[in-house]
Amino acid sequence: MRDGATLVDLRPTEYRWKFGEIPGAVPVSRHVLEWRLDVTSPWHIKELRPDDLDQEIILVCNEGYTSSLAAHQVMCQLGLTRVRDLVGGFAAWHAAGFPVLSRL
């Protein structure tokens, strides 16, 4: 993220409220991910650069499974070239002691 990557949190709202959020992550529900990551669309998330298919996007879910599949799908469907996922997801992030914002 320090180098300009956009971190997208796919976890449901309830998970983010209960377990916390990664600072700087952009919440996007999985069911609208392709729509919100389409850099050719005027409705993409504001953190993305229009028409830049090479920008780095990192997806995170709770344990790393959903984000892994989603990364593959958005690269194939949208032509994005640098979509990654966080291995182990939010659970691994939290277990490693990285910062988490709590809603409580």
Side-chain angles (χ1 to χ4, degrees), residues 2 6-7 11 28 30 33 45 53-55 75 77 82 92-93 98 101 104:
R2 286 185 200 126
T6 299
L7 181 64
R11 294 176 303 139
V28 176
R30 174 61 190 100
L33 182 66
I45 58 174
L53 298 175
D54 297 324
Q55 61 194 295
M75 285 193 300
Q77 292 177 358
R82 297 179 64 206
W93 175 279
F98 293 127
L101 298 174
L104 301 175

Side-chain angles (χ1 to χ4, degrees), residues 26-47:
V26 180
V28 176
S29 295
R30 174 61 190 100
H31 67 280
V32 296
L33 182 66
E34 287 81 358
W35 178 60
R36 303 294 281 150
L37 291 188
D38 184 351
V39 297
T40 66
S41 167
W43 298 285
H44 65 74
I45 58 174
K46 66 178 177 58
E47 292 78 7

Side-chain angles (χ1 to χ4, degrees), residues 81-103:
T81 61
R82 297 179 64 206
V83 182
R84 316 278 189 258
D85 76 302
L86 182 60
V87 175
F90 178 81
W93 175 279
H94 188 263
F98 293 127
V100 172
L101 298 174
S102 175
R103 292 236 180 196

